[in-house]
């Protein structure tokens, strides 16, 4: 894990196999860097619900996340409706959370700072 470089400036790396799954100590260390994000009840994904004034802004956010996700080759599960979008990041190849999930969640937060 690269703790010296901010998460939002890192890039996803290929992570296949259980050896890339983060343990609870790593998750506990990384999660405070992502305000509002939570570990899902199953412990296998990061989740956050984003609120917007209307569907137009929600869709714009989804498109920005999609562009970033394609660039990183790491894609979230997305649930959207009028004025909200829920993102779930998980690394299926490791059966839970990897550093890629935290990097992408941080990159989403950076999108909102612009």
């Amino acid at each position: 894990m690269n703790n010296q470089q901010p998460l939002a400036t890192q890039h996803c790396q290929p992570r296949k196999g259980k050896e890339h799954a983060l343990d609870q100590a790593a998750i506990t260390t990384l999660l405070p860097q992502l305000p509002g994000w939570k570990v899902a009840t199953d412990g296998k994904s990061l989740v956050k619900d984003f609120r917007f004034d209307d569907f137009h802004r929600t869709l714009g956010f989804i498109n920005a996340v999609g562009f970033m996700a394609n660039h990183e080759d790491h894609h979230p599960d997305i649930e959207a409706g009028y004025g909200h979008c829920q993102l779930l990041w998980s690394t299926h190849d490791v059966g839970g959370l990897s550093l890629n999930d935290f990097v992408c969640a941080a990159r989403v937060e950076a999108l909102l700072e612009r």
Side-chain angles (χ1 to χ4, degrees), residues 63-76 89 104:
N63 286 329
V65 170
F67 183 84
M68 179 276 297
N70 278 333
H71 184 264
E72 293 300 319
D73 196 24
H74 192 61
H75 305 91
W89 292 100
C104 285

Side-chain angles (χ1 to χ4, degrees), residues 36-85:
W37 288 85
K38 298 184 183 327
V39 176
T41 55
D42 67 2
K44 295 184 178 189
S45 59
L46 290 177
V47 62
K48 184 173 180 179
D49 195 55
F50 296 87
R51 299 289 172 173
F52 301 96
D53 291 338
D54 53 39
F55 189 72
H56 176 76
R57 286 178 176 81
T58 303
L59 193 54
F61 173 74
I62 291 168
N63 286 329
V65 170
F67 183 84
M68 179 276 297
N70 278 333
H71 184 264
E72 293 300 319
D73 196 24
H74 192 61
H75 305 91
D77 290 335
I78 300 172
E79 181 181 309
Y82 187 90
H84 82 94
C85 174

